[in-house]
Amino acid sequence: MEKKSYPVICRFCGNQCHLIAKTDEAGQVARVCPDRDYGTIWCHTGKNVLELTGHKDRVKTPLKRTGEKGENRWTAISWEQAFKEIGENFKRIMDTYGRDALLGIRGYNKSYFNAFYERLFNLIGTANSMGAANMCHMASMGAYRETFGFAPAPKITDKTRFIVLWGSNPYHTDKRAAFRISNAQKRGAKLIVIDPCRNRHAREADLFLPVQAGTDMLLALGMIRMIIAREWYDKEFVEKYTEGFNELKEHVKQYDPGAVSKRTGISMESLEAAAKMIALEKPGVIFLGNAMDHNFDGFQKCRAIDILLAITGNIDLDGAMTGREPMSDKAKEQRGRIALPEKSPFRDPTRREKIVGYSEHFLDNFNESSGVDLAKAIQEGDPYPVKAAYVLGGNPAMIWENRNRLTEAFKDLEFMVVTDFFLTPTAMMADIVLPAATYLEYESVYIDGDDNIYYSPNLFPDSGQKSDLEILNEMGKSLGYTSYFWNTMEDYWREFLDVYHVDLDVLRKESKISAGTSKEGSPDMTGRFRENGFPTDNGKIHIFSRKMKEQGNDPLPVYHELLQATEEYPYISTNYKSEFFYHTAGRMIQGQRKHEKEAVAFIGEDVARETGIRTGDILVAASPYGEVEQRAEVVENMARRTVALAHGWWYPEEEKTPFDLRACSNNIVPDDQLRGRELPSFTTRGVPCKIYKKQKGN
């Protein structure tokens, strides 16, 4: 048989990279590599797709629980039986307790399935359908929209003079962005890194600010105070495009730079240098990392940084923060056809009040809950019973706040279904586990922002697993919504392409069809808001937010000192994401584990001196909520009195129940004491803790 190459689209995350799959003489996929025609810079998850696909521990057929929840005892069942039992149990529970008794949870940033997921849960009509927005960019996106009326993106061009990475580490989380940053530095752009850890970007930076975790808002407000006091702000831009500057000027007088320097751990020299560069050496960009979402003050913290951008004029300017290209009309129409937004329960605003944990202070487009509220609803029936859950590609038993209580709560659900590749800690709590296919094991179509359409073939037609889309499709039919779903996935893809007037058979032959306008023909969006007004209610950037005030929230960001070290808990914990894994996934893949065999906690030299902990020791970090064990590594130039824990770690080769995951950093995360007001973000960084060396035998 002839060797062949097939263009495929990786579906492990929202980047959806272009790859090439190559087969051997037997027609088997032997290698997957980047598609250089598209400049693909791939990650370790993508590199190891073939090991994942053929892994001996992978879930290969639907599994039904035979022991107690969490005992990890299963029997294989057919797909037909699985969907029959799912339909019967979900319908029984909703008939008995109401539709809000069913909770939907979607994890993994796999944007290709979002519209399909929304279709199913819009039809079900439950108020309790969740993603990961409260811990993944809703704070920054919500703050952008409240301040500017749109969500700007850091657009690096030849004119970019500075780049700020604020709680962001693209070398680990977005290698395409890291490549753009490196090239900009070669062209002369300056790099500022604000992070408790001296990561690779920090080692290459012109200015590194090792901020103490949890004090980022204070740092931003201190910079704003300095910029205004020294008249470094862009007076013309502020006067023409903003409202609320006078209120801001009075508000930030309380944030004395000297006090800010002392609390954040940033020297006055570095504080001044960073503020001066952002204000006077524009245009420049600020990358807000996922760390911004991981505190109770995430929304207002991002608002403070947005205000910093506004008063310095680094917005809607070539080489600065600019508008994102809008979806095409065809893409909007297609998404509407798939998601059925007209069926959304939240078209009735009163339905939002039924969301478990709802608060009138929440952003008006936030429709999710949080782990601690759900645990209470499951265990106590408050405010009403939640009795069933479906988890699609997520692992809340590891990454939500007070994870131990939530895991215990899952035991009280009458019926729980999880779709995943492996028996994760969350899957161990399920009644039925459905095996998901990798992107090599199903036929799919990808459409980029310019309406270029790409075909990705099924290269493992006999694998036995099903795609997330097919699972949702069959689940919808099992619940009685047959007329809203498709007989086969081929029927779905034909309707998917209908908006573009493209035939699936033709696309299979061509692999790529252009149905839109190329980037070369697209208008430059930069400067349109300066010319036409910003997309707010009055065309002005909202420094002082009247809307926030009307909702009972702070109209200007206010720093609240809720997280302080004590005599009992004298250190501050934060966490970091690995370069080699995607959140909690991949720890069973040897191609990834060989690079990082175990969870490593970084501590500074000051912590090492005080505790006697050395590199290689097992470190225990404990808070009032629990403890975590990780291998210590002593490093230079970390934020003072800080321990940086590896995020998302568990040991699947050893840990066969979800209750005692010794390396999980969220073991020490608090619950409702430190949750956000504007959305239920929770605090995983800046948590006071004590640290000690684990003794052998303990």
Side-chain angles (χ1 to χ4, degrees):
M1 188 178 291
E2 180 184 1
K3 294 182 180 180
K4 292 185 178 181
S5 295
Y6 298 91
V8 295
I9 302 295
C10 180
R11 300 291 204 171
F12 283 135
C13 80
N15 284 338
Q16 302 188 88
C17 293
H18 291 268
L19 304 174
I20 297 292
K22 298 185 177 184
T23 61
D24 57 21
E25 292 87 348
Q28 302 298 309
V29 180
R31 184 182 172 208
V32 178
C33 58
D35 191 333
R36 300 304 182 190
D37 289 343
Y38 295 93
T40 298
I41 303 173
W42 65 347
C43 67
H44 287 272
T45 300
K47 288 179 181 179
N48 291 284
V49 61
L50 290 180
E51 183 183 347
L52 189 161
T53 300
H55 199 283
K56 64 180 180 60
D57 294 329
R58 188 175 167 202
V59 181
K60 297 180 173 62
T61 64
L63 299 177
K64 181 177 179 179
R65 176 175 60 85
T66 58
E68 296 296 319
K69 286 195 176 184
E71 284 188 346
N72 210 10
R73 293 166 54 194
W74 310 91
T75 186
I77 60 174
S78 68
W79 281 104
E80 291 77 15
Q81 182 182 347
F83 288 124
K84 180 176 182 293
E85 294 195 20
I86 291 169
E88 290 174 348
N89 280 281
F90 281 169
K91 283 192 288 186
R92 171 184 58 79
I93 288 167
M94 288 190 287
D95 287 344
T96 304
Y97 302 101
R99 56 188 169 174
D100 295 333
L102 174 60
L103 166 67
I105 303 172
R106 53 179 156 175
Y108 277 82
N109 181 22
K110 295 189 287 189
S111 53
Y112 79 99
F113 74 56
N114 281 337
F116 209 119
Y117 173 94
E118 289 166 21
R119 182 186 191 91
L120 175 59
F121 278 88
N122 283 339
L123 288 167
I124 291 170
T126 176
N128 295 308
S129 174
M130 297 181 60
N134 66 330
M135 64 184 93
C136 190
H137 295 301
M138 185 62 186
S140 56
M141 292 296 106
Y144 278 146
R145 291 189 175 94
E146 183 54 41
T147 308
F148 303 117
F150 73 105
K155 186 176 182 180
I156 298 174
T157 71
D158 290 344
K159 294 186 178 180
T160 301
R161 297 185 63 189
F162 73 82
I163 299 164
V164 179
L165 298 180
W166 204 319
S168 177
N169 185 3
Y171 273 131
H172 283 195
T173 60
D174 188 348
K175 294 190 181 300
R176 294 186 297 184
F179 181 75
R180 295 196 301 272
I181 291 165
S182 178
N183 283 343
Q185 287 182 270
K186 292 174 183 176
R187 296 193 299 266
K190 301 297 184 182
L191 178 64
I192 302 173
V193 173
I194 303 174
D195 199 291
C197 301
R198 188 170 177 262
N199 55 40
R200 178 174 169 182
H201 284 292
R203 293 192 293 272
E204 298 172 355
D206 298 276
L207 188 60
F208 171 46
L209 278 62
V211 64
Q212 188 166 80
T215 65
D216 302 83
M217 185 198 295
L218 190 61
L219 179 61
L221 292 169
M223 286 186 188
I224 292 169
R225 154 85 181 258
M226 182 179 288
I227 288 168
I228 293 175
R230 302 190 183 186
E231 297 191 351
W232 290 344
Y233 63 95
D234 188 327
K235 298 180 180 64
E236 181 181 355
F237 184 86
V238 166
E239 182 177 350
K240 187 174 182 179
Y241 297 110
T242 75
E243 66 172 12
F245 179 76
N246 289 334
E247 291 91 338
L248 174 71
K249 186 176 181 179
E250 288 300 311
H251 176 71
V252 297
K253 286 181 179 178
Q254 63 188 295
Y255 298 106
D256 174 70
V260 168
S261 170
K262 184 177 179 180
R263 179 68 184 91
T264 61
I266 305 302
S267 69
M268 279 293 292
E269 180 183 13
S270 293
L271 179 64
E272 180 176 0
K276 190 172 185 178
M277 187 181 298
I278 293 169
L280 301 181
E281 296 190 32
K282 68 184 180 206
V285 300
I286 297 180
F287 285 79
L288 293 183
N290 207 189
M292 298 295 100
D293 302 274
H294 295 167
N295 282 93
F296 66 95
D297 62 357
F299 171 80
Q300 294 289 2
K301 174 169 52 186
C302 292
R303 277 265 296 145
I305 297 169
D306 294 346
I307 290 168
L308 178 63
L309 286 167
I311 67 170
T312 57
N314 283 295
I315 194 76
D316 197 34
L317 187 68
D318 187 13
M321 306 294 288
T322 63
R324 303 164 195 256
E325 294 183 12
M327 291 176 66
S328 71
D329 291 340
K330 291 177 181 176
K332 290 178 184 177
E333 180 184 352
Q334 184 217 56
R335 198 185 195 291
R337 285 193 191 185
I338 303 302
L340 298 180
E342 69 276 10
K343 299 287 186 181
S344 169
F346 303 118
R347 292 180 71 85
D348 175 2
T350 64
R351 288 287 290 146
R352 294 185 74 236
E353 298 175 13
K354 293 291 291 182
I355 299 170
V356 170
Y358 169 78
S359 166
E360 62 184 10
H361 297 289
F362 282 179
L363 303 180
D364 55 16
N365 63 340
F366 189 79
N367 298 324
E368 297 187 5
S369 184
S370 64
V372 67
D373 293 313
L374 288 167
K376 188 175 181 180
I378 294 168
Q379 292 180 312
E380 303 173 19
D382 182 14
Y384 54 79
V386 171
K387 295 291 186 178
Y390 173 53
V391 183
L392 174 55
N395 201 356
M398 283 193 67
I399 64 170
W400 280 1
E401 76 271 37
N402 204 336
R403 75 156 205 91
N404 295 307
R405 183 183 178 188
L406 182 66
T407 304
E408 288 292 331
F410 282 154
K411 290 165 63 175
D412 294 334
L413 288 170
E414 288 189 15
F415 194 70
M416 181 174 175
V417 181
V418 173
T419 294
D420 215 312
F421 301 123
F422 295 94
L423 286 168
T424 66
T426 299
M428 293 174 194
M429 301 302 299
D431 294 278
I432 289 181
V433 178
L434 302 176
T438 68
Y439 65 84
L440 296 174
E441 298 171 311
Y442 59 90
E443 180 180 58
S444 69
V445 175
Y446 166 64
I447 303 177
D448 68 16
D450 295 316
D451 289 344
N452 295 310
I453 305 173
Y454 304 88
Y455 178 71
S456 194
N458 181 355
L459 299 176
F460 290 83
D462 301 319
S463 71
Q465 289 88 352
K466 295 184 185 295
S467 71
D468 298 315
L469 299 180
E470 187 172 5
I471 289 170
L472 289 167
N473 191 66
E474 296 306 311
M475 192 176 296
K477 289 189 285 187
S478 76
L479 289 170
Y481 304 114
T482 304
S483 62
Y484 288 97
F485 290 93
W486 293 268
N487 290 329
T488 66
M489 292 313 295
E490 181 172 315
D491 293 335
Y492 165 73
W493 289 118
R494 291 190 186 281
E495 183 165 338
F496 183 89
L497 291 167
D498 182 63
V499 171
Y500 297 89
H501 306 293
V502 169
D503 182 78
L504 179 61
D505 294 322
V506 175
L507 180 62
R508 285 168 172 161
K509 293 178 182 178
E510 299 291 333
S511 292
K512 174 187 175 182
I513 294 175
S514 295
T517 304
S518 67
K519 287 189 181 296
E520 289 76 16
S522 300
D524 185 1
M525 310 301 282
T526 305
R528 69 188 188 280
F529 299 130
R530 289 175 180 247
E531 181 177 349
N532 302 313
F534 285 80
T536 59
D537 57 0
N538 60 0
K540 299 283 189 178
I541 294 172
H542 293 162
I543 291 176
F544 182 95
S545 172
R546 290 173 281 106
K547 182 177 179 181
M548 286 292 105
K549 185 176 181 179
E550 291 167 1
Q551 289 181 329
N553 295 319
D554 292 330
L556 287 165
V558 178
Y559 177 70
H560 297 282
E561 188 68 79
L562 296 182
L563 291 167
Q564 284 188 302
T566 65
E567 184 176 349
E568 184 177 3
Y569 299 101
Y571 301 106
I572 296 296
S573 74
T574 185
N575 63 75
Y576 69 93
K577 292 180 182 176
S578 170
E579 176 184 2
F580 306 107
F581 306 102
Y582 187 76
H583 293 295
T584 69
R587 267 61 180 196
M588 61 289 293
I589 307 301
Q590 292 307 306
Q592 294 170 253
R593 279 287 288 276
K594 69 181 181 182
H595 297 285
E596 190 173 290
K597 293 181 173 61
E598 59 187 339
V600 173
F602 297 110
I603 59 173
E605 295 171 317
D606 59 336
V607 177
R609 283 193 301 270
E610 292 179 8
T611 62
I613 295 172
R614 298 290 180 263
T615 293
D617 291 340
I618 297 296
L619 171 156
V620 178
S623 78
Y625 308 95
E627 62 182 39
V628 52
E629 298 178 11
Q630 297 189 0
R631 184 76 65 181
E633 184 171 331
V634 181
V635 295
E636 297 179 343
N637 299 322
M638 271 190 67
R640 65 190 181 192
R641 302 179 70 77
T642 295
V643 53
L645 300 166
H647 161 76
W649 257 94
W650 64 297
Y651 296 97
E653 68 275 16
E654 302 172 18
E655 297 173 326
K656 302 301 183 182
T657 74
F659 303 112
D660 185 22
L661 307 178
R662 67 180 187 276
C664 181
S665 61
N666 273 27
N667 287 352
I668 66 171
V669 168
D671 50 23
D672 54 337
Q673 296 180 40
L674 291 171
R675 283 190 302 145
R677 181 175 176 84
E678 301 84 6
L679 69 160
S681 54
F682 55 90
T683 298
T684 69
R685 302 172 191 255
V687 178
C689 64
K690 57 185 175 183
I691 301 168
Y692 57 90
K693 177 182 175 181
K694 183 179 181 181
Q695 301 301 318
K696 291 182 179 180
N698 291 347

